[in-house]
Amino acid sequence: MLVLSAPSGAGKTTLARALLAQTKGARFSVSTTTRAPRAKEREGVDYFFLDEGAFMEKAGAGYFAEWAKVHGNCYGSPQSEVAFARDENSLVIFDIDVQGGRRLREREPDCVLVFILPPSLEELERRLRSRHTEDAHSIARRLEAAKTEIHQGLQFYDYIVINDEVPKALSRLNAILTAETCRTSRGVQWPSTGNP
Ligand code: 5GP
């Protein structure tokens, strides 16, 4: 389970999709949210969109491995994706916020938490404005939240990746994945039953 978190506008979703495209058998955990869909977002691909009542009903029924309120809306990751990662021993990528990453770590100690940083706060603001998905109020709110998120990411996450250029950031992410799959604690497969 690979958790990618970042302040919005840091390029995390681009990195998650790129990683997904190049990693055989990997999948993306599609979250459920109460936020309204953006222009190009598709139900079941980007998110499952629900109203708050239906979201809370699912939360109460234990549907989510973690859920949190982010920028005034609810977001949750399905428990089924955690089960899939375990049962299939497959890479599942979670694009979730820092609260979600910390909650998932409590339940699933071996998940890997990676925090993506923009090169600077100024660059973050420029990226947020240029994507034209948020109004001025929402941009201001997200920039304010970014400072707290960065602070928490630096404190609680396993790895930091600066997204200055996508190919470079992607190669750092691949290096992390390679190192993590070689951990002795993950039970590396060895053909001999004796000691090497
Ligand atoms: P956005 O509205 O820009 O798609 O997402 C806002 C924030 O919510 C992002 O930081 C995103 O990673 C986070 N998020 C998306 N899905 C989930 C989820 O299932 N759980 C949590 N905790 N955060 C999520």
Side-chain angles (χ1 to χ4, degrees), residues 109-146:
D110 63 348
C111 67
V112 178
L113 305 184
V114 178
F115 195 79
I116 314 285
L117 273 180
S120 66
L121 275 181
E122 292 72 32
E123 173 61 13
L124 185 70
E125 181 167 359
R126 196 196 62 71
R127 288 181 191 175
L128 266 181
R129 290 193 190 287
S130 69
R131 71 183 197 190
H132 302 297
T133 53
E134 251 66 44
D135 59 23
H137 174 73
S138 176
I139 289 176
R141 187 175 183 161
R142 281 167 188 252
L143 281 173
E144 213 29 58

PDB file of all heavy atoms in Angstrom, residues 109-146:
ATOM      1  N   PRO A 109       0.225  -1.070   9.535  1.00  0.00           N
ATOM      2  CA  PRO A 109       1.556  -0.529   9.842  1.00  0.00           C
ATOM      3  C   PRO A 109       2.557  -0.635   8.700  1.00  0.00           C
ATOM      4  O   PRO A 109       3.508   0.139   8.646  1.00  0.00           O
ATOM      5  CB  PRO A 109       2.015  -1.358  11.041  1.00  0.00           C
ATOM      6  CG  PRO A 109       0.788  -1.979  11.596  1.00  0.00           C
ATOM      7  CD  PRO A 109      -0.192  -2.112  10.476  1.00  0.00           C
ATOM      8  N   ASP A 110       2.354  -1.586   7.772  1.00  0.00           N
ATOM      9  CA  ASP A 110       3.366  -1.723   6.721  1.00  0.00           C
ATOM     10  C   ASP A 110       3.059  -0.909   5.465  1.00  0.00           C
ATOM     11  O   ASP A 110       3.746  -1.048   4.456  1.00  0.00           O
ATOM     12  CB  ASP A 110       3.614  -3.201   6.384  1.00  0.00           C
ATOM     13  CG  ASP A 110       2.382  -3.874   5.824  1.00  0.00           C
ATOM     14  OD1 ASP A 110       1.287  -3.274   5.915  1.00  0.00           O
ATOM     15  OD2 ASP A 110       2.501  -4.991   5.298  1.00  0.00           O
ATOM     16  N   CYS A 111       2.051  -0.030   5.506  1.00  0.00           N
ATOM     17  CA  CYS A 111       1.838   0.831   4.335  1.00  0.00           C
ATOM     18  C   CYS A 111       2.988   1.850   4.286  1.00  0.00           C
ATOM     19  O   CYS A 111       3.626   2.131   5.295  1.00  0.00           O
ATOM     20  CB  CYS A 111       0.477   1.514   4.376  1.00  0.00           C
ATOM     21  SG  CYS A 111       0.240   2.715   5.673  1.00  0.00           S
ATOM     22  N   VAL A 112       3.257   2.357   3.086  1.00  0.00           N
ATOM     23  CA  VAL A 112       4.393   3.270   2.899  1.00  0.00           C
ATOM     24  C   VAL A 112       3.845   4.674   2.653  1.00  0.00           C
ATOM     25  O   VAL A 112       3.020   4.879   1.757  1.00  0.00           O
ATOM     26  CB  VAL A 112       5.253   2.804   1.702  1.00  0.00           C
ATOM     27  CG1 VAL A 112       6.412   3.769   1.469  1.00  0.00           C
ATOM     28  CG2 VAL A 112       5.777   1.396   1.944  1.00  0.00           C
ATOM     29  N   LEU A 113       4.296   5.629   3.464  1.00  0.00           N
ATOM     30  CA  LEU A 113       3.759   6.994   3.380  1.00  0.00           C
ATOM     31  C   LEU A 113       4.761   7.917   2.683  1.00  0.00           C
ATOM     32  O   LEU A 113       5.872   8.132   3.179  1.00  0.00           O
ATOM     33  CB  LEU A 113       3.473   7.547   4.782  1.00  0.00           C
ATOM     34  CG  LEU A 113       2.562   6.726   5.704  1.00  0.00           C
ATOM     35  CD1 LEU A 113       2.309   7.493   7.008  1.00  0.00           C
ATOM     36  CD2 LEU A 113       1.229   6.414   5.047  1.00  0.00           C
ATOM     37  N   VAL A 114       4.358   8.436   1.539  1.00  0.00           N
ATOM     38  CA  VAL A 114       5.235   9.339   0.777  1.00  0.00           C
ATOM     39  C   VAL A 114       4.558  10.705   0.660  1.00  0.00           C
ATOM     40  O   VAL A 114       3.404  10.791   0.228  1.00  0.00           O
ATOM     41  CB  VAL A 114       5.519   8.792  -0.636  1.00  0.00           C
ATOM     42  CG1 VAL A 114       6.398   9.770  -1.420  1.00  0.00           C
ATOM     43  CG2 VAL A 114       6.184   7.426  -0.569  1.00  0.00           C
ATOM     44  N   PHE A 115       5.282  11.729   1.030  1.00  0.00           N
ATOM     45  CA  PHE A 115       4.742  13.090   0.940  1.00  0.00           C
ATOM     46  C   PHE A 115       5.403  13.808  -0.235  1.00  0.00           C
ATOM     47  O   PHE A 115       6.623  13.835  -0.339  1.00  0.00           O
ATOM     48  CB  PHE A 115       4.993  13.844   2.251  1.00  0.00           C
ATOM     49  CG  PHE A 115       4.162  15.086   2.356  1.00  0.00           C
ATOM     50  CD1 PHE A 115       2.822  15.007   2.712  1.00  0.00           C
ATOM     51  CD2 PHE A 115       4.705  16.328   2.081  1.00  0.00           C
ATOM     52  CE1 PHE A 115       2.030  16.153   2.791  1.00  0.00           C
ATOM     53  CE2 PHE A 115       3.922  17.481   2.168  1.00  0.00           C
ATOM     54  CZ  PHE A 115       2.586  17.389   2.522  1.00  0.00           C
ATOM     55  N   ILE A 116       4.563  14.336  -1.138  1.00  0.00           N
ATOM     56  CA  ILE A 116       5.069  15.049  -2.319  1.00  0.00           C
ATOM     57  C   ILE A 116       5.093  16.540  -2.019  1.00  0.00           C
ATOM     58  O   ILE A 116       4.081  17.109  -1.598  1.00  0.00           O
ATOM     59  CB  ILE A 116       4.144  14.820  -3.547  1.00  0.00           C
ATOM     60  CG1 ILE A 116       3.750  13.360  -3.722  1.00  0.00           C
ATOM     61  CG2 ILE A 116       4.762  15.421  -4.820  1.00  0.00           C
ATOM     62  CD1 ILE A 116       4.802  12.460  -4.252  1.00  0.00           C
ATOM     63  N   LEU A 117       6.243  17.149  -2.246  1.00  0.00           N
ATOM     64  CA  LEU A 117       6.375  18.598  -2.005  1.00  0.00           C
ATOM     65  C   LEU A 117       6.515  19.356  -3.320  1.00  0.00           C
ATOM     66  O   LEU A 117       7.219  18.891  -4.229  1.00  0.00           O
ATOM     67  CB  LEU A 117       7.641  18.865  -1.186  1.00  0.00           C
ATOM     68  CG  LEU A 117       7.571  18.793   0.322  1.00  0.00           C
ATOM     69  CD1 LEU A 117       8.948  19.105   0.913  1.00  0.00           C
ATOM     70  CD2 LEU A 117       6.543  19.762   0.884  1.00  0.00           C
ATOM     71  N   PRO A 118       5.881  20.519  -3.410  1.00  0.00           N
ATOM     72  CA  PRO A 118       6.155  21.376  -4.576  1.00  0.00           C
ATOM     73  C   PRO A 118       7.523  22.019  -4.366  1.00  0.00           C
ATOM     74  O   PRO A 118       8.005  22.063  -3.229  1.00  0.00           O
ATOM     75  CB  PRO A 118       5.049  22.426  -4.488  1.00  0.00           C
ATOM     76  CG  PRO A 118       4.754  22.526  -3.021  1.00  0.00           C
ATOM     77  CD  PRO A 118       4.975  21.153  -2.443  1.00  0.00           C
ATOM     78  N   PRO A 119       8.178  22.537  -5.419  1.00  0.00           N
ATOM     79  CA  PRO A 119       9.491  23.165  -5.225  1.00  0.00           C
ATOM     80  C   PRO A 119       9.425  24.363  -4.266  1.00  0.00           C
ATOM     81  O   PRO A 119      10.393  24.638  -3.574  1.00  0.00           O
ATOM     82  CB  PRO A 119       9.889  23.632  -6.625  1.00  0.00           C
ATOM     83  CG  PRO A 119       8.991  22.938  -7.568  1.00  0.00           C
ATOM     84  CD  PRO A 119       7.768  22.508  -6.830  1.00  0.00           C
ATOM     85  N   SER A 120       8.269  25.063  -4.219  1.00  0.00           N
ATOM     86  CA  SER A 120       8.119  26.204  -3.291  1.00  0.00           C
ATOM     87  C   SER A 120       6.626  26.511  -3.138  1.00  0.00           C
ATOM     88  O   SER A 120       5.806  26.035  -3.944  1.00  0.00           O
ATOM     89  CB  SER A 120       8.811  27.446  -3.857  1.00  0.00           C
ATOM     90  OG  SER A 120       8.137  27.856  -5.034  1.00  0.00           O
ATOM     91  N   LEU A 121       6.293  27.326  -2.138  1.00  0.00           N
ATOM     92  CA  LEU A 121       4.886  27.705  -1.954  1.00  0.00           C
ATOM     93  C   LEU A 121       4.403  28.588  -3.105  1.00  0.00           C
ATOM     94  O   LEU A 121       3.249  28.523  -3.521  1.00  0.00           O
ATOM     95  CB  LEU A 121       4.702  28.437  -0.624  1.00  0.00           C
ATOM     96  CG  LEU A 121       4.498  27.557   0.607  1.00  0.00           C
ATOM     97  CD1 LEU A 121       4.316  28.428   1.849  1.00  0.00           C
ATOM     98  CD2 LEU A 121       3.294  26.624   0.449  1.00  0.00           C
ATOM     99  N   GLU A 122       5.318  29.406  -3.636  1.00  0.00           N
ATOM    100  CA  GLU A 122       4.966  30.292  -4.769  1.00  0.00           C
ATOM    101  C   GLU A 122       4.590  29.439  -5.987  1.00  0.00           C
ATOM    102  O   GLU A 122       3.626  29.718  -6.684  1.00  0.00           O
ATOM    103  CB  GLU A 122       6.149  31.213  -5.145  1.00  0.00           C
ATOM    104  CG  GLU A 122       6.495  32.278  -4.099  1.00  0.00           C
ATOM    105  CD  GLU A 122       7.150  31.700  -2.853  1.00  0.00           C
ATOM    106  OE1 GLU A 122       7.876  30.685  -2.961  1.00  0.00           O
ATOM    107  OE2 GLU A 122       6.932  32.253  -1.750  1.00  0.00           O
ATOM    108  N   GLU A 123       5.372  28.393  -6.217  1.00  0.00           N
ATOM    109  CA  GLU A 123       5.097  27.514  -7.361  1.00  0.00           C
ATOM    110  C   GLU A 123       3.767  26.770  -7.145  1.00  0.00           C
ATOM    111  O   GLU A 123       2.995  26.571  -8.089  1.00  0.00           O
ATOM    112  CB  GLU A 123       6.269  26.524  -7.544  1.00  0.00           C
ATOM    113  CG  GLU A 123       6.075  25.446  -8.580  1.00  0.00           C
ATOM    114  CD  GLU A 123       5.866  25.960 -10.015  1.00  0.00           C
ATOM    115  OE1 GLU A 123       6.109  27.154 -10.271  1.00  0.00           O
ATOM    116  OE2 GLU A 123       5.425  25.150 -10.849  1.00  0.00           O
ATOM    117  N   LEU A 124       3.503  26.404  -5.896  1.00  0.00           N
ATOM    118  CA  LEU A 124       2.238  25.731  -5.587  1.00  0.00           C
ATOM    119  C   LEU A 124       1.060  26.645  -5.957  1.00  0.00           C
ATOM    120  O   LEU A 124       0.093  26.214  -6.584  1.00  0.00           O
ATOM    121  CB  LEU A 124       2.189  25.386  -4.096  1.00  0.00           C
ATOM    122  CG  LEU A 124       0.976  24.582  -3.649  1.00  0.00           C
ATOM    123  CD1 LEU A 124       1.050  23.169  -4.200  1.00  0.00           C
ATOM    124  CD2 LEU A 124       0.885  24.541  -2.136  1.00  0.00           C
ATOM    125  N   GLU A 125       1.159  27.909  -5.565  1.00  0.00           N
ATOM    126  CA  GLU A 125       0.083  28.871  -5.856  1.00  0.00           C
ATOM    127  C   GLU A 125      -0.078  29.034  -7.371  1.00  0.00           C
ATOM    128  O   GLU A 125      -1.190  29.045  -7.891  1.00  0.00           O
ATOM    129  CB  GLU A 125       0.406  30.226  -5.208  1.00  0.00           C
ATOM    130  CG  GLU A 125      -0.686  31.232  -5.457  1.00  0.00           C
ATOM    131  CD  GLU A 125      -0.575  32.477  -4.585  1.00  0.00           C
ATOM    132  OE1 GLU A 125       0.358  32.543  -3.749  1.00  0.00           O
ATOM    133  OE2 GLU A 125      -1.414  33.366  -4.764  1.00  0.00           O
ATOM    134  N   ARG A 126       1.045  29.108  -8.081  1.00  0.00           N
ATOM    135  CA  ARG A 126       0.980  29.263  -9.538  1.00  0.00           C
ATOM    136  C   ARG A 126       0.274  28.055 -10.176  1.00  0.00           C
ATOM    137  O   ARG A 126      -0.593  28.206 -11.024  1.00  0.00           O
ATOM    138  CB  ARG A 126       2.406  29.411 -10.097  1.00  0.00           C
ATOM    139  CG  ARG A 126       2.475  29.962 -11.518  1.00  0.00           C
ATOM    140  CD  ARG A 126       3.838  29.730 -12.154  1.00  0.00           C
ATOM    141  NE  ARG A 126       4.196  28.316 -12.296  1.00  0.00           N
ATOM    142  CZ  ARG A 126       3.639  27.468 -13.159  1.00  0.00           C
ATOM    143  NH1 ARG A 126       2.703  27.875 -13.982  1.00  0.00           N
ATOM    144  NH2 ARG A 126       4.022  26.204 -13.205  1.00  0.00           N
ATOM    145  N   ARG A 127       0.623  26.835  -9.712  1.00  0.00           N
ATOM    146  CA  ARG A 127       0.015  25.627 -10.281  1.00  0.00           C
ATOM    147  C   ARG A 127      -1.484  25.583  -9.987  1.00  0.00           C
ATOM    148  O   ARG A 127      -2.284  25.203 -10.832  1.00  0.00           O
ATOM    149  CB  ARG A 127       0.684  24.375  -9.709  1.00  0.00           C
ATOM    150  CG  ARG A 127       2.092  24.157 -10.241  1.00  0.00           C
ATOM    151  CD  ARG A 127       2.680  22.882  -9.638  1.00  0.00           C
ATOM    152  NE  ARG A 127       4.093  22.752  -9.893  1.00  0.00           N
ATOM    153  CZ  ARG A 127       4.851  21.775  -9.400  1.00  0.00           C
ATOM    154  NH1 ARG A 127       4.339  20.850  -8.630  1.00  0.00           N
ATOM    155  NH2 ARG A 127       6.139  21.718  -9.683  1.00  0.00           N
ATOM    156  N   LEU A 128      -1.841  25.965  -8.737  1.00  0.00           N
ATOM    157  CA  LEU A 128      -3.265  25.930  -8.356  1.00  0.00           C
ATOM    158  C   LEU A 128      -4.080  26.886  -9.220  1.00  0.00           C
ATOM    159  O   LEU A 128      -5.188  26.557  -9.663  1.00  0.00           O
ATOM    160  CB  LEU A 128      -3.419  26.343  -6.889  1.00  0.00           C
ATOM    161  CG  LEU A 128      -3.445  25.235  -5.854  1.00  0.00           C
ATOM    162  CD1 LEU A 128      -3.615  25.817  -4.469  1.00  0.00           C
ATOM    163  CD2 LEU A 128      -4.593  24.261  -6.134  1.00  0.00           C
ATOM    164  N   ARG A 129      -3.529  28.086  -9.465  1.00  0.00           N
ATOM    165  CA  ARG A 129      -4.248  29.076 -10.272  1.00  0.00           C
ATOM    166  C   ARG A 129      -4.357  28.620 -11.721  1.00  0.00           C
ATOM    167  O   ARG A 129      -5.398  28.777 -12.358  1.00  0.00           O
ATOM    168  CB  ARG A 129      -3.534  30.438 -10.227  1.00  0.00           C
ATOM    169  CG  ARG A 129      -3.649  31.091  -8.872  1.00  0.00           C
ATOM    170  CD  ARG A 129      -3.228  32.554  -8.884  1.00  0.00           C
ATOM    171  NE  ARG A 129      -3.131  33.047  -7.514  1.00  0.00           N
ATOM    172  CZ  ARG A 129      -4.174  33.296  -6.731  1.00  0.00           C
ATOM    173  NH1 ARG A 129      -5.401  33.158  -7.207  1.00  0.00           N
ATOM    174  NH2 ARG A 129      -4.010  33.705  -5.488  1.00  0.00           N
ATOM    175  N   SER A 130      -3.277  28.001 -12.235  1.00  0.00           N
ATOM    176  CA  SER A 130      -3.279  27.677 -13.660  1.00  0.00           C
ATOM    177  C   SER A 130      -4.173  26.478 -13.994  1.00  0.00           C
ATOM    178  O   SER A 130      -4.522  26.274 -15.145  1.00  0.00           O
ATOM    179  CB  SER A 130      -1.850  27.440 -14.155  1.00  0.00           C
ATOM    180  OG  SER A 130      -1.364  26.259 -13.585  1.00  0.00           O
ATOM    181  N   ARG A 131      -4.571  25.691 -12.993  1.00  0.00           N
ATOM    182  CA  ARG A 131      -5.411  24.547 -13.373  1.00  0.00           C
ATOM    183  C   ARG A 131      -6.898  24.928 -13.473  1.00  0.00           C
ATOM    184  O   ARG A 131      -7.696  24.130 -13.965  1.00  0.00           O
ATOM    185  CB  ARG A 131      -5.157  23.328 -12.478  1.00  0.00           C
ATOM    186  CG  ARG A 131      -5.624  23.393 -11.082  1.00  0.00           C
ATOM    187  CD  ARG A 131      -5.222  22.117 -10.330  1.00  0.00           C
ATOM    188  NE  ARG A 131      -6.007  22.007  -9.115  1.00  0.00           N
ATOM    189  CZ  ARG A 131      -5.783  21.141  -8.156  1.00  0.00           C
ATOM    190  NH1 ARG A 131      -4.799  20.274  -8.267  1.00  0.00           N
ATOM    191  NH2 ARG A 131      -6.545  21.121  -7.091  1.00  0.00           N
ATOM    192  N   HIS A 132      -7.257  26.147 -13.020  1.00  0.00           N
ATOM    193  CA  HIS A 132      -8.610  26.692 -13.215  1.00  0.00           C
ATOM    194  C   HIS A 132      -9.725  25.770 -12.722  1.00  0.00           C
ATOM    195  O   HIS A 132     -10.784  25.695 -13.345  1.00  0.00           O
ATOM    196  CB  HIS A 132      -8.867  27.024 -14.696  1.00  0.00           C
ATOM    197  CG  HIS A 132      -7.896  28.008 -15.266  1.00  0.00           C
ATOM    198  ND1 HIS A 132      -7.770  29.310 -14.806  1.00  0.00           N
ATOM    199  CD2 HIS A 132      -6.969  27.881 -16.243  1.00  0.00           C
ATOM    200  CE1 HIS A 132      -6.832  29.932 -15.480  1.00  0.00           C
ATOM    201  NE2 HIS A 132      -6.305  29.077 -16.355  1.00  0.00           N
ATOM    202  N   THR A 133      -9.475  25.022 -11.668  1.00  0.00           N
ATOM    203  CA  THR A 133     -10.544  24.154 -11.149  1.00  0.00           C
ATOM    204  C   THR A 133     -11.153  24.736  -9.870  1.00  0.00           C
ATOM    205  O   THR A 133     -12.189  24.272  -9.419  1.00  0.00           O
ATOM    206  CB  THR A 133     -10.011  22.735 -10.830  1.00  0.00           C
ATOM    207  OG1 THR A 133      -8.883  22.845  -9.966  1.00  0.00           O
ATOM    208  CG2 THR A 133      -9.618  21.982 -12.088  1.00  0.00           C
ATOM    209  N   GLU A 134     -10.488  25.722  -9.303  1.00  0.00           N
ATOM    210  CA  GLU A 134     -10.919  26.257  -8.010  1.00  0.00           C
ATOM    211  C   GLU A 134     -11.193  27.751  -8.103  1.00  0.00           C
ATOM    212  O   GLU A 134     -10.515  28.458  -8.856  1.00  0.00           O
ATOM    213  CB  GLU A 134      -9.787  26.060  -6.996  1.00  0.00           C
ATOM    214  CG  GLU A 134     -10.039  25.025  -5.952  1.00  0.00           C
ATOM    215  CD  GLU A 134     -10.128  23.613  -6.496  1.00  0.00           C
ATOM    216  OE1 GLU A 134      -9.309  23.237  -7.339  1.00  0.00           O
ATOM    217  OE2 GLU A 134     -11.038  22.909  -6.083  1.00  0.00           O
ATOM    218  N   ASP A 135     -12.184  28.258  -7.325  1.00  0.00           N
ATOM    219  CA  ASP A 135     -12.379  29.701  -7.287  1.00  0.00           C
ATOM    220  C   ASP A 135     -11.375  30.316  -6.303  1.00  0.00           C
ATOM    221  O   ASP A 135     -10.640  29.587  -5.610  1.00  0.00           O
ATOM    222  CB  ASP A 135     -13.835  30.059  -6.915  1.00  0.00           C
ATOM    223  CG  ASP A 135     -14.234  29.495  -5.557  1.00  0.00           C
ATOM    224  OD1 ASP A 135     -13.342  29.232  -4.725  1.00  0.00           O
ATOM    225  OD2 ASP A 135     -15.445  29.311  -5.320  1.00  0.00           O
ATOM    226  N   ALA A 136     -11.338  31.671  -6.245  1.00  0.00           N
ATOM    227  CA  ALA A 136     -10.324  32.365  -5.436  1.00  0.00           C
ATOM    228  C   ALA A 136     -10.403  31.953  -3.964  1.00  0.00           C
ATOM    229  O   ALA A 136      -9.373  31.750  -3.303  1.00  0.00           O
ATOM    230  CB  ALA A 136     -10.499  33.865  -5.587  1.00  0.00           C
ATOM    231  N   HIS A 137     -11.631  31.776  -3.469  1.00  0.00           N
ATOM    232  CA  HIS A 137     -11.815  31.411  -2.057  1.00  0.00           C
ATOM    233  C   HIS A 137     -11.212  30.026  -1.792  1.00  0.00           C
ATOM    234  O   HIS A 137     -10.489  29.826  -0.807  1.00  0.00           O
ATOM    235  CB  HIS A 137     -13.311  31.418  -1.735  1.00  0.00           C
ATOM    236  CG  HIS A 137     -13.627  30.927  -0.361  1.00  0.00           C
ATOM    237  ND1 HIS A 137     -13.364  31.678   0.768  1.00  0.00           N
ATOM    238  CD2 HIS A 137     -14.143  29.747   0.064  1.00  0.00           C
ATOM    239  CE1 HIS A 137     -13.725  30.966   1.834  1.00  0.00           C
ATOM    240  NE2 HIS A 137     -14.195  29.802   1.436  1.00  0.00           N
ATOM    241  N   SER A 138     -11.495  29.099  -2.689  1.00  0.00           N
ATOM    242  CA  SER A 138     -11.002  27.733  -2.521  1.00  0.00           C
ATOM    243  C   SER A 138      -9.465  27.689  -2.639  1.00  0.00           C
ATOM    244  O   SER A 138      -8.797  26.946  -1.905  1.00  0.00           O
ATOM    245  CB  SER A 138     -11.671  26.825  -3.552  1.00  0.00           C
ATOM    246  OG  SER A 138     -11.144  25.549  -3.469  1.00  0.00           O
ATOM    247  N   ILE A 139      -8.905  28.511  -3.535  1.00  0.00           N
ATOM    248  CA  ILE A 139      -7.438  28.550  -3.677  1.00  0.00           C
ATOM    249  C   ILE A 139      -6.806  29.056  -2.375  1.00  0.00           C
ATOM    250  O   ILE A 139      -5.854  28.464  -1.857  1.00  0.00           O
ATOM    251  CB  ILE A 139      -7.021  29.437  -4.880  1.00  0.00           C
ATOM    252  CG1 ILE A 139      -7.392  28.722  -6.184  1.00  0.00           C
ATOM    253  CG2 ILE A 139      -5.509  29.731  -4.856  1.00  0.00           C
ATOM    254  CD1 ILE A 139      -7.129  29.514  -7.442  1.00  0.00           C
ATOM    255  N   ALA A 140      -7.386  30.124  -1.825  1.00  0.00           N
ATOM    256  CA  ALA A 140      -6.841  30.690  -0.581  1.00  0.00           C
ATOM    257  C   ALA A 140      -6.914  29.651   0.539  1.00  0.00           C
ATOM    258  O   ALA A 140      -5.956  29.469   1.309  1.00  0.00           O
ATOM    259  CB  ALA A 140      -7.622  31.944  -0.210  1.00  0.00           C
ATOM    260  N   ARG A 141      -8.031  28.936   0.595  1.00  0.00           N
ATOM    261  CA  ARG A 141      -8.233  27.916   1.624  1.00  0.00           C
ATOM    262  C   ARG A 141      -7.213  26.782   1.470  1.00  0.00           C
ATOM    263  O   ARG A 141      -6.633  26.304   2.449  1.00  0.00           O
ATOM    264  CB  ARG A 141      -9.656  27.377   1.454  1.00  0.00           C
ATOM    265  CG  ARG A 141     -10.104  26.444   2.518  1.00  0.00           C
ATOM    266  CD  ARG A 141     -11.558  26.120   2.258  1.00  0.00           C
ATOM    267  NE  ARG A 141     -12.062  25.269   3.312  1.00  0.00           N
ATOM    268  CZ  ARG A 141     -13.350  25.099   3.578  1.00  0.00           C
ATOM    269  NH1 ARG A 141     -14.250  25.730   2.898  1.00  0.00           N
ATOM    270  NH2 ARG A 141     -13.718  24.293   4.547  1.00  0.00           N
ATOM    271  N   ARG A 142      -6.976  26.362   0.236  1.00  0.00           N
ATOM    272  CA  ARG A 142      -6.037  25.272  -0.015  1.00  0.00           C
ATOM    273  C   ARG A 142      -4.583  25.689   0.273  1.00  0.00           C
ATOM    274  O   ARG A 142      -3.787  24.890   0.761  1.00  0.00           O
ATOM    275  CB  ARG A 142      -6.200  24.755  -1.460  1.00  0.00           C
ATOM    276  CG  ARG A 142      -7.397  23.842  -1.588  1.00  0.00           C
ATOM    277  CD  ARG A 142      -7.813  23.544  -3.005  1.00  0.00           C
ATOM    278  NE  ARG A 142      -9.085  22.813  -3.007  1.00  0.00           N
ATOM    279  CZ  ARG A 142      -9.239  21.528  -3.308  1.00  0.00           C
ATOM    280  NH1 ARG A 142      -8.215  20.810  -3.677  1.00  0.00           N
ATOM    281  NH2 ARG A 142     -10.416  20.942  -3.245  1.00  0.00           N
ATOM    282  N   LEU A 143      -4.262  26.954   0.000  1.00  0.00           N
ATOM    283  CA  LEU A 143      -2.895  27.418   0.283  1.00  0.00           C
ATOM    284  C   LEU A 143      -2.636  27.486   1.786  1.00  0.00           C
ATOM    285  O   LEU A 143      -1.554  27.142   2.263  1.00  0.00           O
ATOM    286  CB  LEU A 143      -2.661  28.800  -0.342  1.00  0.00           C
ATOM    287  CG  LEU A 143      -2.375  28.782  -1.844  1.00  0.00           C
ATOM    288  CD1 LEU A 143      -2.319  30.205  -2.395  1.00  0.00           C
ATOM    289  CD2 LEU A 143      -1.058  28.050  -2.139  1.00  0.00           C
ATOM    290  N   GLU A 144      -3.653  27.913   2.516  1.00  0.00           N
ATOM    291  CA  GLU A 144      -3.521  27.982   3.971  1.00  0.00           C
ATOM    292  C   GLU A 144      -3.341  26.568   4.533  1.00  0.00           C
ATOM    293  O   GLU A 144      -2.468  26.311   5.369  1.00  0.00           O
ATOM    294  CB  GLU A 144      -4.786  28.649   4.542  1.00  0.00           C
ATOM    295  CG  GLU A 144      -4.588  29.491   5.790  1.00  0.00           C
ATOM    296  CD  GLU A 144      -3.233  30.144   5.950  1.00  0.00           C
ATOM    297  OE1 GLU A 144      -2.829  30.918   5.055  1.00  0.00           O
ATOM    298  OE2 GLU A 144      -2.563  29.883   6.979  1.00  0.00           O
ATOM    299  N   ALA A 145      -4.176  25.650   4.033  1.00  0.00           N
ATOM    300  CA  ALA A 145      -4.102  24.248   4.491  1.00  0.00           C
ATOM    301  C   ALA A 145      -2.753  23.631   4.134  1.00  0.00           C
ATOM    302  O   ALA A 145      -2.231  22.777   4.861  1.00  0.00           O
ATOM    303  CB  ALA A 145      -5.234  23.436   3.864  1.00  0.00           C
ATOM    304  N   ALA A 146      -2.163  24.076   3.010  1.00  0.00           N
ATOM    305  CA  ALA A 146      -0.897  23.498   2.542  1.00  0.00           C
ATOM    306  C   ALA A 146       0.191  23.619   3.609  1.00  0.00           C
ATOM    307  O   ALA A 146       0.976  22.684   3.809  1.00  0.00           O
ATOM    308  CB  ALA A 146      -0.447  24.192   1.257  1.00  0.00           C
TER     309      ALA A 146
END
